[in-house]
Amino acid sequence: MVTSTTHEDGSGQTMSALPEEQPLRLMTVHAHPDDESSKGAASSARYVADGVEVMVVTCTGGEAGSVLNPAMDTPEVHADMPGIRRAEMAKAAAILGVQHRWLGFVDSGLPEGDPKPPLPPGCFALEPLEVPTEALVRVIREFRPHVLVTYDENGGYPHPDHIRTHEVSMAAFDAAGDPDRFPEAGEPWQPLKVYYGHGFSKARITAFHEALLAAGMESPWAEWLDRWDDSRPDPGARVTTRVECAEYFHVRDDALRAHATQIDPNGRWFQMPMEMQQRVWPTEDYELARSLVDTEETSEHPGDDLFAGVRERVRA
């Protein structure tokens, strides 16, 4: 008879952990290296600590990313951006304790200007959908995740690679379990749930802003809130699942700092005291987009576990 154990984390909640012969598996799919550390990293670290196998898939090499840390803005860095970003990603994955795969596509860059310039030929966003979908299906069938996490239809923000990552993730979710789709890509495997990560709701940014002001500190979020467009739907209204992971915020920040070309250690990410972050907003927030198991997660009554309903299915 197979039995299970439990693991109690720093939040005081008890999460079931399956026996070693039946580990749960989580896959997070991102556009660029550093996205895995700025979006859902503390959740990943928490699940790793709970015995879940976690794999990060990065669709592009991030070659077109700007150097956002003044200390790294050197000719040597610009001369080897692809190699440096690969090294940064390896360091971040080690900090988070996750497995990592490159999907192997070329960063599309973020077109700017009016009118915006065309995307470069051969980039990820211009690949025929079937090409990256098959590549992701191969990784899904090999790793066999029970749960996928990706971006919503807006990409979290309108970068062409983020929007393409959404499209590819959802297409791969549908195809991975179908033996007639991509038969050369491995034995079929059907993930059971897909979530969208939602990190920047107005309520969260407002809570951080007000906490800093109440403590007599300057808020780096004031300008963002002043420019907030209330005519656009707030992703916070779509949240169905809030994962308690404040204990792992320091792991998230260490992983972020590993992406030294992209993250300024003196920038906005790190201006809010850790204790305040943990107290004001101790969760990372998700929207359940697709589920093949019974679960009661809704925006009116959010759940607290990405594996709700999955644990029971896998045990059975």
Side-chain angles (χ1 to χ4, degrees), residues 9-310:
D9 72 3
S11 69
Q13 293 184 323
T14 300
M15 297 180 66
S16 298
L18 293 178
E20 290 184 2
E21 62 267 31
Q22 284 291 326
L24 292 170
R25 292 180 294 275
L26 172 68
M27 176 179 286
T28 70
V29 186
H30 294 281
H32 311 107
D34 76 74
D35 289 329
E36 85 297 326
S37 296
S38 61
K39 303 167 185 65
S43 302
S44 293
R46 174 182 172 161
Y47 280 114
V48 168
D50 193 54
V52 174
E53 294 183 5
V54 180
M55 175 177 283
V56 169
V57 176
T58 308
C59 293
T60 80
E63 305 90 347
S66 302
V67 176
L68 303 178
N69 179 0
M72 296 291 289
D73 195 1
T74 68
E76 295 78 13
V77 167
H78 286 278
D80 187 26
M81 182 67 77
I84 288 174
R85 299 217 68 186
R86 292 184 74 86
E88 290 174 345
M89 183 65 241
K91 184 176 180 181
I95 290 168
L96 294 173
V98 302
Q99 301 176 50
H100 178 254
R101 293 292 178 83
W102 298 99
L103 215 56
F105 295 94
V106 177
D107 190 345
S108 305
L110 181 60
E112 296 180 302
D114 187 14
K116 293 180 178 179
L119 294 173
C123 72
F124 177 51
L126 295 182
E127 288 280 358
L129 182 60
E130 292 288 283
V131 175
T133 297
E134 180 175 13
L136 183 56
V137 165
R138 285 182 180 274
V139 182
I140 289 173
R141 289 177 177 174
E142 178 184 343
F143 182 65
R144 309 204 310 168
H146 302 98
V147 176
L148 294 181
V149 175
T150 189
Y151 313 139
D152 70 7
E153 67 280 3
N154 301 309
Y157 80 109
H159 189 298
D161 285 341
H162 283 244
I163 294 170
R164 198 55 158 175
T165 296
H166 161 80
E167 295 167 347
V168 170
S169 298
M170 301 309 290
F173 177 84
D174 289 335
D178 185 345
D180 295 327
R181 299 288 307 281
F182 310 116
E184 303 301 316
E187 291 295 320
W189 174 264
Q190 180 59 60
L192 298 175
K193 298 170 90 173
V194 181
Y195 287 90
Y196 302 151
H198 289 306
F200 295 105
S201 66
K202 186 175 184 179
R204 180 172 179 260
I205 300 305
T206 300
F208 286 168
H209 173 70
E210 293 178 347
L212 285 164
L213 295 183
M217 303 173 64
E218 184 178 354
S219 170
W221 308 107
E223 183 180 354
W224 193 343
L225 288 171
D226 287 342
R227 293 186 288 106
W228 195 278
D229 183 1
D230 285 314
S231 68
R232 297 178 59 188
D234 187 342
R238 298 169 56 169
V239 168
T240 63
T241 310
R242 303 184 185 276
V243 176
E244 289 272 357
C245 52
E247 181 182 354
Y248 300 96
F249 284 179
H250 71 284
V251 181
R252 172 204 64 194
D253 285 2
D254 287 345
L256 271 171
R257 281 186 283 262
H259 292 283
T261 58
Q262 303 297 298
I263 303 296
D264 182 353
N266 300 310
R268 176 168 58 190
W269 285 106
F270 307 108
Q271 291 183 20
M272 189 171 188
M274 178 61 67
E275 176 279 328
M276 187 180 292
Q277 293 184 51
Q278 293 172 322
R279 171 172 47 84
V280 172
W281 205 277
T283 66
E284 289 180 335
D285 302 338
Y286 300 88
E287 174 190 353
L288 179 61
R290 297 275 299 278
S291 180
L292 302 179
V293 297
D294 292 333
T295 179
E296 298 179 355
E297 301 153 89
T298 67
S299 56
E300 291 79 16
H301 301 286
D304 60 5
D305 181 14
L306 301 182
F307 291 93
V310 173

